[in-house]
Amino acid sequence: AEATATTVEGGPFLQMTLEAPAPGEYDLYLCGCAPTYTNGEQVSPAIANDSVYIVVNGEPLVAPGGEVAVPVTGFAEAVDFTWRNTWLDEMTGETGPARFTFDAGGAQAVELSMAEDGLLVYSMILAPVDGPASQQLANGSSCTPVAADPVTQ
């Protein structure tokens, strides 16, 4: 049986701290993969391992004007690790970037809560919205599991 969380609190999670060098708007990019798992006769397709909720500094990612957390999704569209930062509101079909505004630079507490049980996340980048890293990390572009520093890219 597939395990799917419908709220931020419903799934396994990972906590970490990312640095924002200055106040401003940032996009959060995830390098992840939604594999298909098989175990005998059981199959968990990639689409069932495709999304993750993001909470930054205690605030979940929500659609503009919304109140319900929306997951970053789209990892099943690639066969390998890929950069993603687009959320999907499954109720409206609306999408948008995983974008956060910080009043101050410095440490930002990030929590990833897996919406499905099979998504693999290798790394994250917090990139200034108008910076060069945001242009290089287009949704769906391949990512190699390596650390990256968006400030120097």
Side-chain angles (χ1 to χ4, degrees), residues 4 21 23 34 39 41 50 55 63 65-66 68-69 78 85 87 104 109 113 150:
T4 301
N39 183 9
E41 293 182 15
D50 186 48
V55 176
V68 178
N85 88 322
W87 52 261
S113 178

Side-chain angles (χ1 to χ4, degrees), residues 5-13 53 55 60 69 111 113-114:
T6 56
T7 63
V8 173
E9 302 85 19
F13 64 92
Y53 294 103
V55 176
E111 181 177 299
S113 178
M114 302 306 167

Side-chain angles (χ1 to χ4, degrees), residues 37-87:
Y37 294 100
T38 58
N39 183 9
E41 293 182 15
Q42 293 180 326
V43 175
S44 178
I47 195 69
N49 302 305
D50 186 48
S51 56
V52 61
Y53 294 103
I54 302 172
V55 176
V56 176
N57 297 329
E59 298 294 323
L61 177 63
V62 296
E67 296 179 11
V68 178
V70 291
V72 170
T73 187
F75 294 95
E77 296 170 12
V79 296
D80 205 351
F81 283 88
T82 183
W83 288 112
R84 292 288 175 190
N85 88 322
T86 299
W87 52 261

Side-chain angles (χ1 to χ4, degrees), residues 11-50:
F13 64 92
L14 174 66
Q15 296 174 318
M16 76 276 324
T17 301
L18 296 178
E19 290 290 320
E25 278 193 308
Y26 288 81
D27 284 339
L28 182 64
Y29 291 88
L30 303 172
C31 174
C33 179
T36 295
Y37 294 100
T38 58
N39 183 9
E41 293 182 15
Q42 293 180 326
V43 175
S44 178
I47 195 69
N49 302 305
D50 186 48

